[in-house]
Amino acid sequence: MSNNKESLINLLTQKPWEPAQAKVDNLHEGKTFNLHVGKLGLRYIMVVSTIMFCLFIVTYADRMVYDDWIRMPEPFLLWINSLILVISSLFFIRIQLASKKNNFEKVRRELVLIGVLAIIFLIGQLLVWQNMIEAGYYVSGSPANGYFYVFTTLHGLHLLGGLIYWVMTIKKVWKLDDSIVIRKAKHTVELCAIYWHFLLAVWIVLFGLMLFS
Amino acid sequence: MAADSYDDVAKNKESIPELEVAPQDLYHAKSFWTKYIFCQDAKVIGIQYALTAAAIGMVGLVSSWLMRMQIAFPGVIPMDAAAYYQLVTMHGMIMVVYLLTALFLGGFGNFLIPLMVGARDMVFPYVNMVSYWVFFIAVLILGASYFVPGGPTGAGWTLYPPQAITSGTPGGDGLGIVLMLVSLAVFVIGFTMGGLNYVITILQARTRGMTLMRMPLTIWGILTATVLALFAFPALFVAGIMMTLDNMLGTSFFMPAIVQFGERLTYDGGSPILFQHLFWFFGHPEVYIVALPAFGIVSDLISVHARKNIFGYRMMVWAIVIIGALSFIVWAHHMYVAGMNPWFGFFFATTTLIIAVPTAIKVYNWVLTLWRGNIKLTIPMLFSIAFIITFVNGGLTGLFLGNVAVDVPLSDTYFVVAHFHMVMGIAPVLVILGSIYHWFPLITGRFLNERLGRIHFWVTFIGSYSIYFPMHYLGFMGVTRRYFEVFEGDNFTYSITGINQFITVAALITGAAQFLFFYNIIVSSKFGKKAGKNPWKACSLEWQTPDVPPTHGNFGKELPVVYRWPYDFSVPGADEDYITQDTPPSAVANAKAEQT
Amino acid sequence: MIVALLVLLVTLGSVAFHLWSPWWWSEIASNWVGMDNTILLSFWITGAVFVAIGLFTAYCIWKYKYNKNRRADYEPENSKLEWFLTIITSIGVIALLAPGLIVWNNFVTVPKGAYEIEVVGQQWAWMYRLPGKDGVLGTTDIKNIDDDNIFGMNTDDPYGLDDILIDADDLHLLKDQAVKLNLRALDVLHDFYVPQFRAKMDMVPGMITYYWFTPIRTGEFEILCAEYCGTGHYAMLGYVIVDEQEDYDEWLSEQMTFEEIMASNGKSDLIKLALNKKNDL
């Protein structure tokens, strides 16, 4: 990392008009990072949603300190849902390994499982909502309720977005014609996996926040 | 050892996956629909953005006319207070978000980024296309709010709760505010998709030899502005969602216990100040999201038309980056008198005034670029000069408002209105106009009409200066903003009716001149003088395309290779007074810069 | 040539407008002369910068007009000049900021013994509350508000009984007495602003904000609401009347306390708890 920082300063202090610098610059490939654009794009999206969730968390922390804060119960079902997310992430690690080893049968099989788990998770979240509403914890009841519904909705929407990408991934791994397509498919699987791990991390933070406040 | 990073890249070259090096799959339009409507070519998307922004911008312009009529000649155009506040609100929101942000980043960003960095297109053309259509939907939702019962929201563009979602405000208890918030949320989503392209194209898809420090300042401005947007827009999104919930589902994120018109509302415990923090955490960077591309573009215009390299390129880049970074720790200077903890005032006044230093350096460097230049007084240059004057004026009044004790008497008066219109209204618009005159020959292959252009310039500059300069003095007198009836306050030192009428007439004339400009665009794109290749003799890559206007794929068969920075003007010993970025050293062996 | 003239004219015209325009602040009526002085200082510093840049730009445009037989200078940067300008600018900024922060420090530090008054904003009118004989403002809660208790006074707080409640848009103040305004809003944001006092602060529902000042001359001064508060924002006006002691006392004697108001409405039983506690004090 320190090397990176140093090179940022080096970069910004270059004098592009000087011939010595020009000689170096002429060799430049035109890329800032040694990374595929897809991966960079995914990082961009993860940064934006991290900022968004962070801002929510800041407002949550700001609101929590008031004395009219009423905690929400954590239904047992939420634990099960969390477990489902953990399991899908574990499966995705297996998929990543299998994809590296070109074991596409396994990749296909377990990718389908991922989709099923995601849908079960979403249904599970809806069930939690139903339980909450039946128990009288409406969204307008208290700020904690409000945040619970906001967090679960946003997380769910992120997962739905992920499912769209998952469909694209499935399409790709089912049609593996030549080596270029295979490389692209492996790449897609990789990105999909990173996103799933990211969603698990977000969920752990949000769930932890609601649990320990 | 300045070249560390490049050595690294060279060393790691083997480890780059092959996919990386594979040429970009170019998208090819097959029918009218995919060529002009659902097009994935960044140049077309840029123009789509610009036209949509201009169209909704007209609504904003006409709103301002109507507002000014009510202020100076009440009764000539019949309206009630609610209608007036709706005009104020929509004018502000449209101009800041849907016109300036969309035009600079969506319009100029899309058109210029691939051309200036030497790419064939954006890295994710499909996402880029979707981004435009999402923006278009946001504009439609905004437009729809004019037609719902109760009309659009009249909450002021800052949308402060509680009034934004209560019944004392036009649109507050109807659909107006809901559509506004939804439209903003959709805008943010669309913008995030666009920003994804701008950032990654600039970082990863530059042509060979195009180092970051060889990029034109336009690209630096757009890049930094997009990164700011990446951090700032989520705050608007979050605030919008929470306020929508407060409004629709009765949560109390921002809504405290309230007694309105003798009736107790069901809210309890929320914090209106929290909304203001979120809003300005977005709102202040937003100022720079508009200003930084303008800074970048105007640097390039001045340099090209003064035939001189931009003075202090490195300082200019640093200033852009520093301003961008600082813009995230100054937001609460909008809230000095908002009731937040007064001790914050010390911190935010200090950070705010610190930001004046890099900004001042930019101004000095623009003027120093003119110094000992060889200035062609073309229309883009005229607009750039007008920008400098306007921006200096507006920037200096910012030093009043940023200085917390001075802000106390001046905030919420016309001084603020004059300040921000000068600095982030007129100044960026002058840059937009100048850059349209500058790049129009690239977009259409023809010049805009010179005579009409000069008339347009004189009216726009003198007109807008006459609108906003006197307005500061109304603020000193204590004339508060957002008053439906501007009255002769009992204690004002002099009547304000005359000056208000003067301002209104100036506004009507200045606005009308813009229609002359639209006329010029329409006529000149068909019948204008042919421009040919690189008519301004500029150095940067966008002018070096084999075809003018550039066709799909931008650079023909081979991407250009960059051998120098974009400001090699008037290099001693060179035959011409400019050397384009893709000129190899061997072609300009005489130039002094090549020998040393 | 003509462009250089234009820049020159705009620059000098702005200065001329500043010097000779009749629109200027009205005579100050509070102790915040420091704010005015900081503004004047800002004018001197920023005005000098504005004129310098304007004149220099005009000079450059005139002097370095395009000539095809001439070349512009080739000078990528000049670190010395740039650092010099940076330092000069920093000094200017410090010269502006330091006095500003000193004034702000005074503004947020309420002097001991300031007379505490409550100003209540609601759509679209003002109300005021004075602490009464005991010099203490009673506590309030927005949930208490009803037709009998428009201020939302806590009915079990004895300190509130002698508070003087003024349900009118006009407020009288005593000349030369420092006042601390406690600001409260019932519905949306408002802002209590009198141009001659220079000071202002938003009123935020759900919290109490404040500012202080000392009126230094008698007269009637118009109150403007300075924070947009809905359709009636422009009509949310009133007057502050600064009196000498005699006139002030006369006005004060005409006002009623919370206890008196409740008694005259025949609702004394509502404040029984407070009355009992008062006897215990």
Side-chain angles (χ1 to χ4, degrees):
Chain A
M1 272 319 279
S2 65
N3 191 26
N4 261 348
K5 265 183 202 159
E6 202 181 56
S7 63
L8 182 70
I9 292 169
N10 280 340
L11 177 90
L12 289 176
T13 49
Q14 286 166 8
K15 297 182 176 174
W17 55 87
E18 290 198 333
Q21 181 67 43
K23 285 203 182 95
V24 181
D25 287 353
N26 288 347
L27 300 172
H28 190 70
E29 286 284 337
K31 272 191 183 40
T32 309
F33 301 108
N34 186 14
L35 259 186
H36 189 270
V37 288
K39 214 169 214 172
L40 210 58
L42 180 64
R43 282 192 191 176
Y44 178 98
I45 291 167
M46 292 194 304
V47 168
V48 174
S49 32
T50 307
I51 294 167
M52 187 193 72
F53 281 114
C54 283
L55 285 166
F56 269 118
I57 290 169
V58 168
T59 65
Y60 185 86
D62 183 76
R63 188 65 188 78
M64 215 169 65
V65 295
Y66 290 92
D67 36 336
D68 64 334
W69 182 262
I70 308 158
R71 270 188 63 173
M72 265 196 88
E74 288 87 27
F76 184 65
L77 197 51
L78 269 188
W79 287 98
I80 297 179
N81 287 347
S82 310
L83 193 66
I84 293 175
L85 276 192
V86 174
I87 294 171
S88 3
S89 250
L90 288 176
F91 268 111
F92 244 130
I93 293 173
R94 281 161 59 97
I95 294 173
Q96 280 170 291
L97 286 173
S99 153
K100 271 200 189 108
K101 289 178 190 152
N102 288 335
N103 185 353
F104 290 108
E105 274 313 305
K106 191 172 174 186
V107 170
R108 284 173 193 164
R109 216 168 39 229
E110 302 201 347
L111 261 184
V112 174
L113 194 65
I114 292 281
V116 174
L117 283 175
I119 290 163
I120 292 178
F121 173 81
L122 288 175
I123 294 172
Q125 294 288 73
L126 287 176
L127 280 177
V128 173
W129 276 18
Q130 201 192 2
N131 289 348
M132 296 294 245
I133 291 167
E134 274 170 9
Y137 291 95
Y138 302 114
V139 60
S140 58
S142 86
N145 300 6
Y147 277 107
F148 169 79
Y149 287 103
V150 169
F151 286 159
T152 45
T153 310
L154 284 174
H155 183 264
L157 286 177
H158 273 74
L159 190 59
L160 272 182
L163 278 176
I164 294 174
Y165 197 71
W166 170 81
V167 171
M168 285 158 64
T169 315
I170 290 269
K171 268 190 191 163
K172 279 195 180 152
V173 293
W174 240 266
K175 240 178 35 184
L176 297 169
D177 302 335
D178 55 51
S179 64
I180 293 178
V181 177
I182 288 180
R183 215 178 298 121
K184 279 190 177 173
K186 283 166 96 168
H187 190 69
T188 315
V189 169
E190 180 72 21
L191 295 186
C192 203
I194 296 174
Y195 189 67
W196 243 256
H197 300 322
F198 169 70
L199 284 189
L200 174 65
V202 168
W203 178 249
I204 289 173
V205 171
L206 295 180
F207 190 45
L209 188 75
M210 292 187 280
L211 208 59
F212 295 109
S213 59
Chain B
M1 286 305 286
D4 267 4
S5 49
Y6 303 133
D7 291 347
D8 289 350
V9 172
K11 250 184 275 163
N12 293 337
K13 214 162 129 189
E14 309 309 318
S15 66
I16 300 174
E18 261 180 76
L19 193 73
E20 291 265 322
V21 192
Q24 193 176 359
D25 301 327
L26 259 192
Y27 147 89
H28 288 287
K30 293 186 186 73
S31 68
F32 172 82
W33 280 94
T34 46
K35 197 165 178 192
Y36 295 108
I37 309 297
F38 295 107
C39 184
Q40 297 184 22
D41 185 333
K43 294 188 292 298
V44 178
I45 294 175
I47 291 165
Q48 287 175 324
Y49 257 112
L51 291 179
T52 315
I56 191 75
M58 297 264 241
V59 178
L61 176 68
V62 173
S63 303
S64 70
W65 275 354
L66 297 173
M67 265 151 62
R68 281 309 316 181
M69 285 304 289
Q70 168 61 30
I71 292 170
F73 308 103
V76 174
I77 295 170
M79 70 173 82
D80 57 5
Y84 175 77
Y85 289 123
Q86 287 166 330
L87 289 172
V88 172
T89 307
M90 297 314 268
H91 167 77
M93 197 59 101
I94 286 173
M95 291 306 197
V96 173
V97 177
Y98 298 86
L99 177 72
L100 288 173
T101 310
L103 197 55
F104 269 121
L105 297 176
F108 286 98
N110 268 309
F111 195 88
L112 292 176
I113 289 171
L115 282 166
M116 278 188 153
V117 303
R120 294 205 180 279
D121 204 336
M122 291 286 184
V123 287
F124 306 114
Y126 184 80
V127 178
N128 207 19
M129 182 266 284
V130 176
S131 149
Y132 166 71
W133 285 103
V134 174
F135 166 67
F136 188 75
I137 291 169
V139 172
L140 284 187
I141 297 173
L142 182 83
S145 75
Y146 281 91
F147 302 101
V148 296
T153 174
W157 89 280
T158 50
L159 304 177
Y160 280 177
Q163 51 91 2
I165 55 174
T166 53
S167 58
T169 303
D173 50 356
L175 274 175
I177 182 68
V178 179
L179 289 177
M180 181 81 252
L181 293 168
V182 171
S183 171
L184 283 174
V186 173
F187 179 90
V188 172
I189 293 169
F191 183 82
T192 307
M193 293 186 207
L196 174 79
N197 266 308
Y198 314 149
V199 170
I200 298 182
T201 305
I202 292 172
L203 289 180
Q204 295 299 84
R206 303 191 304 275
T207 189
R208 178 185 281 274
M210 182 66 90
T211 64
L212 285 174
M213 292 301 275
R214 274 180 171 181
M215 297 194 307
L217 286 168
T218 300
I219 299 297
W220 270 106
I222 292 175
L223 172 66
T224 317
T226 314
V227 174
L228 292 194
L230 160 81
F231 285 91
F233 273 118
L236 178 66
F237 189 75
V238 166
I241 287 182
M242 288 163 78
M243 190 142 87
T244 312
L245 291 178
D246 277 4
N247 189 21
M248 308 280 286
L249 298 175
T251 54
S252 297
F253 292 117
F254 302 133
M255 297 294 278
I258 281 175
V259 175
Q260 192 181 35
F261 305 123
E263 187 191 340
R264 171 116 154 73
L265 307 187
T266 52
Y267 299 108
D268 193 8
S271 163
I273 299 265
L274 178 62
F275 176 87
Q276 298 184 19
H277 278 296
L278 281 173
F279 183 85
W280 289 114
F281 187 77
F282 144 77
H284 196 75
E286 167 65 27
V287 173
Y288 291 101
I289 291 167
V290 171
L292 291 179
F295 290 173
I297 289 173
V298 84
S299 308
D300 286 353
L301 296 191
I302 289 176
S303 172
V304 170
H305 296 276
R307 313 308 298 159
K308 185 166 173 248
N309 57 48
I310 190 75
F311 189 86
Y313 173 79
R314 295 191 304 160
M315 276 276 202
M316 292 300 250
V317 172
W318 300 342
I320 286 180
V321 174
I322 292 171
I323 291 171
L326 283 176
S327 74
F328 280 101
I329 50 167
V330 298
W331 79 88
H333 68 216
H334 296 268
M335 300 164 58
Y336 287 146
V337 296
M340 64 173 180
N341 186 333
W343 298 98
F344 287 178
F346 293 102
F347 174 77
F348 284 104
T350 309
T351 52
T352 303
L353 263 65
I354 288 174
I355 224 173
V357 178
T359 315
I361 288 171
K362 295 202 75 80
V363 174
Y364 300 148
N365 284 358
W366 290 321
V367 181
L368 287 170
T369 305
L370 295 177
W371 184 52
R372 294 186 180 168
N374 200 7
I375 304 167
K376 283 182 174 169
L377 290 171
T378 55
I379 297 176
M381 187 50 143
L382 294 181
F383 275 105
S384 306
I385 292 167
F387 163 81
I388 294 178
I389 300 297
T390 318
F391 181 74
V392 168
N393 194 303
L396 290 172
T397 52
L399 287 170
F400 287 68
L401 293 171
N403 201 352
V404 53
V406 179
D407 180 68
V408 172
L410 295 180
S411 67
D412 293 311
T413 67
Y414 268 92
F415 188 89
V416 177
V417 178
H419 159 71
F420 71 69
H421 275 95
M422 204 73 135
V423 80
M424 81 165 295
I426 295 306
V429 165
L430 289 172
V431 174
I432 288 175
L433 297 176
S435 53
I436 291 175
Y437 283 95
H438 182 75
W439 279 301
F440 194 76
L442 182 69
I443 300 170
T444 62
R446 292 168 189 277
F447 284 110
L448 281 167
N449 183 295
E450 176 86 10
R451 179 183 292 267
L452 286 178
R454 287 191 184 264
I455 297 172
H456 175 222
F457 165 74
W458 287 97
V459 177
T460 306
F461 176 44
I462 297 180
S464 52
Y465 201 82
S466 323
I467 298 171
Y468 295 109
F469 188 76
M471 202 183 270
H472 291 93
Y473 290 82
L474 298 183
F476 280 119
M477 218 156 62
V479 182
T480 37
R481 62 192 283 212
R482 291 173 170 167
Y483 268 41
F484 165 61
E485 280 173 352
V486 174
F487 57 95
E488 297 289 348
D490 281 0
N491 303 298
F492 293 160
T493 54
Y494 196 80
S495 164
I496 60 172
T497 309
I499 189 84
N500 265 325
Q501 289 172 344
F502 171 79
I503 291 173
T504 297
V505 171
L508 292 176
I509 296 173
T510 313
Q514 309 316 310
F515 289 91
L516 188 71
F517 174 60
F518 294 136
Y519 169 79
N520 194 353
I521 287 186
I522 293 166
V523 173
S524 296
S525 61
K526 263 261 183 286
F527 307 108
K529 199 173 89 187
K530 289 243 176 179
K533 205 178 153 179
N534 199 359
W536 308 114
K537 301 187 174 167
C539 298
S540 45
L541 280 185
E542 82 271 23
W543 297 102
Q544 321 308 334
T545 56
D547 311 290
V548 177
T551 46
H552 186 60
N554 293 347
F555 291 103
K557 273 188 189 147
E558 295 256 331
L559 280 174
V561 178
V562 170
Y563 295 101
R564 60 195 71 246
W565 70 329
Y567 299 105
D568 258 348
F569 291 104
S570 302
V571 179
D575 301 334
E576 295 268 357
D577 68 349
Y578 71 110
I579 307 173
T580 61
Q581 269 192 292
D582 58 349
T583 309
S586 55
V588 282
N590 293 334
K592 201 172 137 210
E594 308 298 326
Q595 292 164 350
T596 43
Chain C
M1 188 65 205
I2 192 160
V3 181
L5 265 180
L6 166 77
V7 174
L8 195 70
L9 266 179
V10 167
T11 311
L12 298 181
S14 304
V15 176
F17 186 92
H18 176 72
L19 292 177
W20 287 297
S21 94
W23 299 279
W24 192 237
W25 55 49
S26 37
E27 190 194 344
I28 193 164
S30 80
N31 60 319
W32 294 120
V33 185
M35 288 180 188
D36 283 2
N37 289 338
T38 321
I39 291 182
L40 290 177
L41 174 75
S42 304
F43 258 120
W44 281 106
I45 295 179
T46 58
V49 175
F50 179 70
V51 171
I53 291 178
L55 293 184
F56 188 70
T57 309
Y59 167 76
C60 288
I61 297 167
W62 169 74
K63 172 89 184 182
Y64 302 108
K65 201 172 171 349
Y66 186 73
N67 175 346
K68 66 179 186 310
N69 298 320
R70 200 170 59 81
R71 283 280 173 91
D73 265 21
Y74 185 80
E75 190 183 25
E77 66 179 16
N78 182 339
S79 295
K80 255 190 207 156
L81 179 61
E82 284 171 275
W83 282 112
F84 170 75
L85 288 171
T86 309
I87 290 165
I88 290 282
T89 311
S90 307
I91 293 171
V93 163
I94 292 168
L96 287 176
L97 182 63
L101 291 186
I102 293 169
V103 177
W104 179 249
N105 190 39
N106 290 338
F107 186 68
V108 298
T109 318
V110 183
K112 271 188 194 138
Y115 187 55
E116 295 212 20
I117 296 176
E118 184 182 72
V119 181
V120 180
Q122 58 182 321
Q123 286 172 327
W124 290 282
W126 306 99
M127 301 193 296
Y128 311 95
R129 185 158 65 104
L130 310 182
K133 285 210 182 65
D134 63 3
V136 180
L137 285 168
T139 54
T140 57
D141 189 332
I142 197 157
K143 287 160 195 161
N144 297 336
I145 292 181
D146 56 33
D147 290 345
D148 297 319
N149 187 356
I150 53 174
F151 280 77
M153 309 285 292
N154 277 335
T155 49
D156 58 350
D157 182 359
Y159 293 106
L161 289 174
D162 66 344
D163 285 6
I164 294 162
L165 308 185
I166 304 156
D167 181 15
D169 286 329
D170 297 350
L171 170 71
H172 287 244
L173 292 176
L174 184 57
K175 190 181 150 226
D176 292 329
Q177 183 189 45
V179 283
K180 178 189 179 194
L181 300 182
N182 292 299
L183 307 167
R184 203 152 66 93
L186 302 186
D187 37 35
V188 303
L189 304 176
H190 300 282
D191 192 309
F192 187 80
Y193 172 53
V194 176
Q196 285 84 352
F197 295 155
R198 304 294 190 256
K200 65 164 79 75
M201 185 61 71
D202 281 7
M203 319 164 103
V204 185
M207 60 192 285
I208 295 171
T209 56
Y210 71 90
Y211 69 86
W212 77 276
F213 64 95
T214 312
I216 55 166
R217 65 183 170 99
T218 56
E220 290 192 6
F221 307 107
E222 194 157 20
I223 305 164
L224 310 172
C225 178
E227 182 64 56
Y228 177 56
C229 58
T231 325
H233 172 52
Y234 66 97
M236 197 169 160
L237 309 170
Y239 280 92
V240 172
I241 298 116
V242 179
D243 291 328
E244 299 284 1
Q245 187 77 48
E246 205 174 305
D247 298 331
Y248 183 75
D249 289 342
E250 192 190 325
W251 170 78
L252 199 60
S253 64
E254 292 162 6
Q255 309 304 321
M256 284 165 85
T257 64
F258 182 46
E259 192 177 349
E260 286 163 359
I261 290 171
M262 290 311 257
S264 70
N265 291 346
K267 306 272 182 179
S268 288
D269 52 320
L270 287 177
I271 48 170
K272 242 181 345 204
L273 282 173
L275 287 169
N276 289 342
K277 279 193 192 165
K278 188 180 158 195
N279 295 334
D280 295 344
L281 278 177

